[in-house]
Amino acid sequence: MSETRIRPRRSFIFTPGLRPEMFPKALASGADIVCVELEDGIAPKDKPAARARAIKLFESPQADDGVERIVRINSLREGFGMADVRAVLASDSPPPALMMPKVRNPDEVVLLDDLLSERGHATRLHVIIETNAGLEAAHDIARCSPRIDAMFFGGVDMAAELRCENAWEPLLYARSRVVHAAAGAGLDVIDVPYLDLEDADGMERAAIRARDLGFCGKGAVHPKQIAALNAVFTPSAERIAQARRIIAEFEAADTGLVVIDGKLIERPVLREMHRIVAIADRVGAG
C-alpha cells in the first residue's frame, strides 16, 4: 500500500442511502469515514431506491474536506449486491470506495476488482471480515487486490457465525486474526461499532482495547460517539513528534534503517509513522 493513500481512519459512521439529505450532516460529524448504507440498514423493498439515490450523491464533485466517502454495497453472492455493482459500473462518477460485506473468499474481491478495472473506475475497496469462512481466508483476502485499503471486523455477524457471545473475550481470537491479516498486507483495520449508546465509558474502554490490539479506528452508531473515538485513536503529541522525526531521518539517510536515540529503526515502520502524521495533519496537531 503506497504512502500516498495513507489517511486517518479513526472513526466511521453510516448514513442511509435511502435518505441522501442526511449525507451532509454525516460528513460534518467529525468522522474520518462516512459510509452510505445499502446493506443491512436498508429493507429489501427499499434497496432499489436507496441504490439510485446513493449513486446520485456522487454525480456532483465531492469537497476536499478530509472525509473518506464509502458506499457499503450488498454481498456479491446476492442479487441485491450484483445490482449494486451494475449501478456502480454504469455510472460515470462512481463512489470513491466500496465496502464489501460478508466477504468469504478472495475470489469475490478479485471479481469486483476486475469489473472495476474493465470499466476504468479507480474505486477503492474496503472488506468486512464477519463470517467464519472470511476469518479462515482473512490473510489471502487481505492480499488479493491492490485496491483494498482497509479491513473491517464485523463482530455481530461473526459472533453469530461462531456461536459465541458478542463480547470482547469470546471474539478476541477473531479480532486478532483480522488484525494480523491486515497488518501483514499493510492495510488499516477498523473495529465494529459499540452498540450501547448509553454506555459512553464502556465504548471508550472497548475502543482502547481495540487500539491496543492493533486497530486504527472503530465504528460509531451515533455522532455523539465520534469525538471520543477520535480521541482514543489520535496519537499523543510526543508520538506525533517522534513520527515526524523518524520520517525526516529516513529521508535524510536514504537507507533501509536508521538509529535514533540509540534504537535501530527499520523502514517497515515508516507506514505507521506516515499514518500518525496523516492523523496529525487532519486534526492540525504537531
Side-chain angles (χ1 to χ4, degrees):
M1 185 174 180
S2 69
E3 291 168 5
T4 58
R5 295 199 301 271
I6 294 174
R7 59 189 304 161
R9 294 187 172 104
R10 301 165 299 168
S11 57
F12 79 89
I13 193 166
F14 286 107
T15 186
L18 199 59
R19 298 187 60 188
E21 72 276 9
M22 295 180 66
F23 189 50
K25 183 177 180 180
L27 292 173
S29 67
D32 287 334
I33 300 171
V34 168
C35 186
V36 181
E37 170 68 316
L38 297 182
E39 196 218 6
D40 285 348
I42 304 295
K45 67 180 179 62
D46 293 325
K47 286 184 186 287
R51 179 187 308 120
R53 293 172 190 177
I55 294 297
K56 189 172 180 59
L57 281 174
F58 298 95
E59 290 180 356
S60 302
Q62 299 294 303
D64 185 12
D65 53 11
V67 181
E68 188 170 13
R69 291 148 167 84
I70 303 176
V71 172
R72 179 162 76 168
I73 61 174
N74 290 273
S75 169
L76 265 63
R77 296 184 310 281
E78 301 173 356
F80 289 127
M82 294 309 297
D84 293 339
V85 172
R86 285 194 295 270
V88 170
L89 296 176
S91 173
D92 291 328
S93 53
L98 299 176
M99 181 184 288
M100 301 180 65
K102 300 178 177 65
V103 174
R104 293 180 179 272
N105 58 63
D107 292 345
E108 298 172 48
V109 185
V110 172
L111 171 63
L112 183 52
D113 186 333
D114 287 346
L115 291 171
L116 291 168
S117 295
E118 182 181 53
R119 179 62 171 84
H121 285 345
T123 302
R124 308 298 301 169
L125 298 177
H126 298 249
V127 297
I128 310 179
I129 303 299
E130 53 186 335
T131 68
N132 195 29
L135 189 65
E136 180 69 20
H139 290 77
D140 292 334
I141 292 170
R143 294 167 170 81
C144 72
S145 167
R147 289 182 186 266
I148 301 175
D149 285 336
M151 299 185 83
F152 288 67
F153 176 70
V156 176
D157 285 6
M158 184 66 73
E161 287 250 330
L162 297 178
R163 299 173 299 197
C164 70
E165 184 182 355
N166 182 14
W168 182 262
E169 287 79 9
L171 288 174
L172 180 57
Y173 165 75
R175 273 190 170 90
S176 299
R177 185 171 174 86
V178 174
V179 168
H180 184 196
L187 306 176
D188 283 336
V189 59
I190 301 163
D191 195 31
V192 63
Y194 190 81
L195 300 180
D196 189 347
L197 271 177
E198 304 307 315
D199 185 10
D201 291 341
M203 187 205 68
E204 185 174 3
R205 288 192 298 271
I208 291 170
R209 278 178 160 180
R211 179 198 66 195
D212 292 348
L213 191 64
F215 285 91
C216 66
K218 188 172 178 64
V221 294
H222 191 277
K224 72 180 184 180
Q225 295 177 319
I226 291 170
L229 291 176
N230 286 347
V232 167
F233 290 100
T234 297
S236 66
E238 292 76 16
R239 184 71 169 142
I240 292 170
Q242 180 191 43
R244 293 192 188 279
R245 182 182 175 193
I246 289 172
I247 292 170
E249 291 282 352
F250 268 105
E251 289 176 348
D254 194 27
T255 63
L257 54 87
V258 296
V259 177
I260 298 177
D261 297 332
K263 296 180 180 180
L264 185 67
I265 300 176
E266 296 182 289
R267 185 167 289 277
V269 306
L270 269 180
R271 186 187 183 283
E272 176 63 12
M273 298 302 103
H274 280 282
R275 189 181 72 82
I276 290 171
V277 170
I279 294 172
D281 292 342
R282 168 95 160 112
V283 302

